[in-house]
Amino acid sequence: MFIPEASNSARYVDAAFLVIVGISVALLAGVTSVMLFLIFRYKRRRGTKAEQVEGGTALEIIWTVIPVVLVLVMFVIGERSFRLIRSAPREIMTIRVDARQWSWMFGYDNGRQSDQLRVPLGKPVKLRLSSRDVLHSFYVPAFRIKEDCVPGMETYLWFTPQQQGSFDIFCTEYCGLGHSGMLAKVVVMPEKEFDEWYAGAGAKGNRGLQLLLEKGCLGCHTTDGTLKVGPTFKGIYGRTVTVVTSGKERTITVDGDYLKRSVLDPGADIVKGFPPVMPKIPVTPEELDAIEDYLEHLR
Amino acid sequence: MPAESMTTSERSYLQEGGRFKGVFSWIFTTDHKRIGILYLASIFTFFSIGVIIGLLMRLNLIEPGRFISERTYNSLFTVHGVIQIFLFIIPGIPASFGNFFLPIHLGARDVAFPRLNIFSWWLYISGGALVILSIFLPGGAPDTGWTFYAPYSIRTTSNVSLAASGIFIVGFSSILTGLNFVTTIHRLRAPGMTWFRMPLFIWSLYATAWTQILATPVLAITLLLLILERSFGIGFFEPLKGGDPIMFEHLFWMYSHPAVYIMILPAMGVVSEIFPVFSRKNIFGYKAVAFSSLGIAFFGYLVWGHHMFTSGMSDISRVIFSLITFLVAVPSGVKVFNWIATMYKGSVRVDSPLLFCLAFIFLFSIAGLTGLIIGTLSLNLYLHGTYFIVGHFHYTMFGGAGFGFFAGLHYWFPKMFGRMFNERAAKIAWLIMFIGFNILYFSMFLLGLQGMPRRYFQYLPQFRMNHILSTVGSWILAAGLLIMFGNLIRALFRGEKAPANPWGGSTLEWTLPSPPGRENFRETPVVRGGPYTFE
């Protein structure tokens, strides 16, 4: 296949894919070769005339019934594998998937949160999907699974990862400006390693960074200097930037006050060259201090 | 078919403008032929804009961000979709060739409601103008994708309401044209033109017209709800206000899936005309082809849910929609088999119209078969929302409806304009387009299988090769289009004069001079046999 087959559902999907593509290719080859044959066999030549054939009921019945049978076979193949892919076992670890413009967050039962989906190898996992704002869709090509994240309701997916490694997660429902940057990774780790990470000390990490993650800031702003929808946080403190304040440009040096204002009133000063799309995200004064403290030291 | 040909030096519809002069003799005309030409010119304009936007998108994808910003890209794919679907393919064949040839095929002087007919064109142009305006007004071009999914379409500040109003108005044009055609087919058939003597193009327009009448109001309501929600925050689809975003998807596809058949059925009608003429043979299985049009139109209403297999709707509804989706493929297959069988024992001459039909069959077969792949529930989980869908969709709409349109354009060009185009140039253009098309869109299937999501401004490195390939394909296709349109436009001015019946066709339009006179038939024809009778 074109990409790794890294889950149980990938196997079901690929098996169905081979059968259906096989039938399709055979049909296409048949139709095309008959067409080409007839063109050359009955090419217009001097002295030959068309022989009028009105059609035939028997043929019409044959080429209606055979396709009906074929498509029903395809339907059953698809429906059976679909049922397997949708039927989650009862005893299963669940992880909450929280989608928002334009980042993913994964929440575990013990309160641990992560911007990567970490899962143990060989253990079935159920994802409970939801969205904080608009439609998103959670897609892991290597697992062949996908389901929309719909605001106001919960949807689900489940899978058993069967290959260790790190696999791409994409958003496949268009969700606005940063849609194509709404990526994450599934990290499939050996069970023991996963357990250590799951229970791990320092799970909370830096409070400021944790907040940036939870509030979805890292969907648009990076901490490593690369550019996404918004300016990067790396070295932001003390940087000189040109901002647009109610239609007028001015140059400022980023300080704590500016950072706080940008969170509380994102539309007030827009850094030149960036779109005015940042939403107001509720924060407490204590959280805001933690974020500012983190950014001040992010070099 | 009546054999009496009309070779008198009667003034053609191109010279006879009626009460008005100059440009007014066109925009105030009630002559179905002139209205057909008006549509043809407007459709060509919108199509060209859509193609240029498509090329810009492909240009971005060889090096994201170098030529085009993210915000612009999101608008480009939105406007490309809106224009190509609502302003090109949906009106496409019915409004241009349908208007021109439906009355002639029936032996009538005009459609049932000629003034309603020109009013439909005005609506179409006004709606189209609003859509184009929405690109340039402050607020920015719509950036929602042509599907306008809520709640994003409610929250974005771009000109969604304006574009939606444009489509709303264009929708009425479509409804009125459908109404006009159904009435004309029921009431204005010439003596002896029984239902089963009608050309198959008419059958396809008949099925299409009913779909236009019955399905388009659903789109109109959906867009109206969207506009109301954006203007007054009513809360039909916004979950924060108790609305349901999945309901929007249901409403949208309840129209937009049948609309796919509005787009493809008339192209199938064109193909059904061309195969008999270039095989010198009656169509194989007339009734099967005619009834399969009705079958497609009917089942087409019941499959919209296959756009929503990953939307979060219930699993049982996914299973039901998948089953019906598979069944709707059968009548299309029946048509393909009958077209091919028409050549059996025929006398086949591969001129450009037939070449486009052969390409149609090949490309549409790929479209149909990949449609079965994504209609398979489990495979849909893998491929939905990826480039596989984009590829499938363009094989259907461009490879199918588009090539069908080009087939009709070459077939009827001599009749409509009284000039012949250069056949050799047409064949060369066809070959280049066919090659470019497959490079452009087949690489999208590969991208989809690799997992590349659609509507992505930028992408991960593993997708780069196929994106470059696809963009190169877009340039080849564009070159082919340029040659094709260049050849036809040149023929308008410098082409040889066309005879009344250059292809040896047997339907009524070929009994008229090229171009036809203002009143079509000087005497109402009396029909004595089927449409495809060759001696």
Side-chain angles (χ1 to χ4, degrees):
Chain A
M1 291 302 294
F2 297 83
I3 41 172
E5 203 175 61
S7 74
N8 59 334
S9 39
R11 300 205 173 157
Y12 302 138
V13 168
D14 289 0
F17 183 81
L18 283 180
V19 178
I20 286 164
V21 168
I23 299 175
S24 300
V25 169
L27 283 173
L28 179 68
V31 164
T32 312
S33 48
V34 170
M35 183 168 84
L36 292 176
F37 168 77
L38 290 175
I39 294 168
F40 290 109
R41 171 67 183 78
Y42 297 105
K43 205 174 156 198
R44 193 171 303 172
R45 293 181 185 87
R46 218 177 274 270
T48 58
K49 261 187 81 175
E51 196 179 313
Q52 297 304 322
V53 185
E54 295 292 321
T57 316
L59 265 180
E60 298 291 349
I61 291 172
I62 290 173
W63 65 42
T64 307
V65 171
I66 291 180
V68 167
V69 173
L70 274 181
V71 297
L72 287 179
V73 168
M74 293 188 189
F75 164 72
V76 170
I77 291 171
E79 196 269 340
R80 283 191 158 184
S81 41
F82 177 74
R83 195 157 287 186
L84 288 171
I85 292 170
R86 296 293 292 169
S87 317
R90 276 193 196 177
E91 293 295 312
I92 191 167
M93 172 173 135
T94 60
I95 301 173
R96 275 176 297 105
V97 177
D98 215 352
R100 65 177 128 201
Q101 291 170 315
W102 293 282
S103 63
W104 298 100
M105 205 183 49
F106 305 98
Y108 293 79
D109 281 346
N110 69 349
R112 184 129 201 196
Q113 293 187 323
S114 168
D115 60 345
Q116 292 183 326
L117 177 59
R118 290 174 182 274
V119 290
L121 179 67
K123 290 270 165 189
V125 173
K126 185 170 183 174
L127 303 178
R128 294 162 54 200
L129 310 164
S130 62
S131 163
R132 295 266 180 103
D133 37 51
V134 300
L135 294 176
H136 301 280
S137 194
F138 180 89
Y139 177 37
V140 183
F143 293 177
R144 317 285 191 274
I145 52 167
K146 178 183 299 115
E147 186 77 6
D148 282 9
C149 307
V150 185
M153 70 183 269
E154 191 179 285
T155 52
Y156 78 94
L157 282 171
W158 80 277
F159 59 90
T160 308
Q162 295 183 331
Q163 195 178 320
Q164 205 176 308
S166 151
F167 307 98
D168 295 314
I169 298 171
F170 296 112
C171 174
T172 48
E173 190 67 81
Y174 175 70
C175 56
L177 190 64
H179 174 54
S180 65
M182 192 167 161
L183 314 178
K185 295 268 186 195
V186 197
V187 181
V188 181
M189 18 190 356
E191 201 178 345
K192 202 163 148 257
E193 245 177 73
F194 174 81
D195 288 342
E196 279 168 22
W197 172 82
Y198 188 65
K204 288 276 171 228
N206 181 294
R207 169 115 174 102
L209 179 60
Q210 196 60 34
L211 283 166
L212 291 180
L213 187 68
E214 281 172 26
K215 307 229 174 243
C217 312
L218 300 183
C220 299
H221 307 274
T222 65
T223 54
D224 62 1
T226 52
L227 220 52
K228 279 175 103 174
V229 174
T232 181
F233 286 146
K234 191 179 181 186
I236 193 167
Y237 203 89
R239 195 192 294 159
T240 308
V241 293
T242 307
V243 295
V244 181
T245 309
S246 31
K248 289 203 183 90
E249 282 185 22
R250 61 194 183 103
T251 304
I252 56 157
T253 303
V254 175
D255 56 14
D257 283 346
Y258 168 76
L259 286 175
K260 286 182 176 172
R261 188 165 69 248
S262 299
V263 175
L264 296 173
D265 188 5
D269 308 298
I270 304 293
V271 180
K272 200 183 164 194
F274 290 93
V277 291
M278 180 164 151
K280 273 186 201 173
I281 290 164
V283 283
T284 65
E286 176 270 327
E287 288 172 334
L288 199 54
D289 285 337
I291 289 174
E292 191 222 325
D293 184 62
Y294 174 76
L295 292 180
E296 193 176 335
H297 297 98
L298 183 68
R299 293 284 157 210
Chain B
M1 283 284 121
E4 58 271 35
S5 61
M6 308 174 65
T7 46
T8 46
S9 57
E10 184 190 8
R11 273 156 66 83
S12 82
Y13 79 99
L14 288 171
Q15 297 154 323
E16 191 60 68
R19 275 192 293 162
F20 302 97
K21 294 268 169 278
V23 72
F24 296 105
S25 73
W26 288 91
I27 61 176
F28 291 121
T29 185
T30 53
D31 179 1
H32 68 97
K33 298 182 287 302
R34 286 196 162 217
I35 294 172
I37 301 293
L38 279 178
Y39 272 113
L40 194 62
S42 0
I43 282 160
F44 171 73
T45 310
F46 287 123
F47 175 69
S48 307
I49 299 173
V51 168
I52 290 167
I53 294 175
L55 287 170
L56 287 174
M57 283 154 61
R58 286 303 334 161
L59 184 68
N60 171 64
L61 290 169
I62 49 173
E63 209 174 329
R66 168 123 184 232
F67 310 101
I68 285 160
S69 75
E70 194 161 10
R71 173 72 178 80
T72 310
Y73 181 79
N74 292 346
S75 292
L76 287 182
F77 68 67
T78 303
V79 177
H80 171 79
V82 168
I83 290 180
Q84 298 294 52
I85 288 172
F86 294 109
L87 303 178
F88 169 57
I89 315 180
I90 288 183
I93 295 176
S96 58
F97 304 137
N99 259 316
F100 200 107
F101 291 107
L102 177 125
I104 300 182
H105 271 172
L106 295 174
R109 289 190 169 185
D110 209 316
V111 292
F113 310 113
R115 274 179 273 191
L116 194 64
N117 204 13
I118 187 66
F119 181 61
S120 307
W121 179 79
W122 290 347
L123 286 177
Y124 166 74
I125 282 297
S126 328
L130 286 188
V131 169
I132 300 294
L133 208 60
S134 79
I135 305 176
F136 298 108
L137 285 190
D143 65 336
T144 57
W146 76 276
T147 48
F148 297 111
Y149 272 13
Y152 182 70
S153 59
I154 297 162
R155 298 184 184 187
T156 177
T157 53
S158 62
N159 297 330
V160 168
S161 301
L162 191 62
S165 313
I167 299 169
F168 179 80
I169 293 170
V170 171
F172 278 97
S173 155
S174 188
I175 295 172
L176 295 176
T177 302
L179 202 67
N180 222 334
F181 284 6
V182 167
T183 317
T184 309
I185 294 169
H186 275 271
R187 306 297 304 162
L188 298 185
R189 282 172 286 128
M193 179 60 83
T194 59
W195 283 85
F196 292 120
R197 285 179 184 169
M198 294 196 309
L200 287 163
F201 181 54
I202 303 302
W203 273 103
S204 76
L205 288 179
Y206 184 67
T208 308
W210 274 115
T211 310
Q212 286 171 277
I213 297 172
L214 296 175
T216 316
V218 181
L219 175 77
I221 290 163
T222 312
L223 292 174
L224 200 61
L225 293 181
L226 177 65
I227 294 166
L228 288 175
E229 174 132 13
R230 278 180 63 84
S231 311
F232 306 111
I234 290 178
F236 298 114
F237 307 121
E238 172 63 78
L240 291 178
K241 295 173 178 157
D244 183 356
I246 295 185
M247 186 172 78
F248 180 88
E249 296 179 41
H250 278 294
L251 286 171
F252 183 83
W253 290 114
M254 227 179 266
Y255 164 76
S256 296
H257 196 79
V260 173
Y261 299 106
I262 295 181
M263 305 179 217
I264 196 69
L265 273 171
M268 292 172 156
V270 171
V271 173
S272 307
E273 290 303 302
I274 292 175
F275 263 99
V277 173
F278 291 84
S279 310
R280 315 288 316 141
K281 214 178 127 256
N282 195 0
I283 186 102
F284 196 92
Y286 175 96
K287 284 191 183 172
V289 177
F291 286 128
S292 60
S293 289
L294 299 182
I296 290 171
F298 177 75
F299 279 110
Y301 283 106
L302 308 175
V303 298
W304 77 83
H306 70 215
H307 296 269
M308 300 167 60
F309 283 163
T310 63
S311 67
M313 74 175 175
S314 72
D315 285 0
I316 179 72
S317 56
R318 300 184 203 193
V319 171
I320 294 167
F321 278 122
S322 173
L323 177 63
I324 310 174
T325 299
F326 275 108
L327 293 176
V328 81
V330 175
S332 300
V334 168
K335 276 186 193 290
V336 168
F337 301 139
N338 279 292
W339 292 325
I340 293 178
T342 298
M343 296 191 291
Y344 173 68
K345 292 197 171 175
S347 169
V348 182
R349 197 182 141 138
V350 188
D351 289 319
S352 49
L354 187 66
L355 266 184
F356 279 102
C357 290
L358 298 175
F360 171 97
I361 290 193
F362 180 76
L363 300 175
F364 183 71
S365 296
I366 293 182
L369 294 167
T370 52
L372 296 179
I373 293 175
I374 49 184
T376 306
L377 280 172
S378 57
L379 302 190
N380 191 275
L381 301 182
Y382 169 25
L383 298 169
H384 187 79
T386 70
Y387 263 71
F388 199 90
I389 303 289
V390 185
H392 159 75
F393 184 72
H394 282 88
Y395 266 86
T396 320
M397 288 301 118
F398 195 168
F403 273 68
F405 182 83
F406 300 148
L409 194 59
H410 285 82
Y411 178 58
W412 280 314
F413 186 92
K415 178 57 61 188
M416 298 174 93
F417 300 105
R419 305 271 185 172
M420 295 303 288
F421 51 84
N422 183 320
E423 174 67 17
R424 206 178 138 79
K427 282 182 176 154
I428 292 170
W430 171 85
L431 184 66
I432 295 173
M433 282 165 61
F434 184 73
I435 294 169
F437 180 95
N438 283 296
I439 297 176
L440 166 55
Y441 297 116
F442 200 83
S443 41
M444 292 191 180
F445 288 135
L446 303 178
L447 280 168
L449 292 171
Q450 283 183 288
M452 167 81 206
R454 68 193 291 196
R455 294 175 174 165
Y456 264 34
F457 160 75
Q458 57 192 352
Y459 49 81
L460 296 178
Q462 66 261 35
F463 303 120
R464 189 167 158 81
M465 265 310 296
N466 281 321
H467 269 303
I468 291 177
L469 195 63
S470 179
T471 300
V472 170
S474 76
W475 296 333
I476 301 175
L477 178 60
L481 282 171
L482 273 181
I483 300 175
M484 180 179 79
F485 286 122
N487 183 35
L488 292 176
I489 289 167
R490 185 191 162 277
L492 276 184
F493 303 101
R494 302 234 188 116
E496 273 176 54
K497 273 188 86 67
N501 193 357
W503 313 117
S506 62
T507 38
L508 282 173
E509 76 271 34
W510 306 110
T511 64
L512 301 177
S514 305
R518 161 88 198 209
E519 298 289 321
N520 300 347
F521 305 92
R522 281 192 305 183
E523 277 171 47
T524 306
V526 178
V527 182
R528 296 203 176 80
Y532 312 111
T533 317
F534 303 92
E535 73 290 353

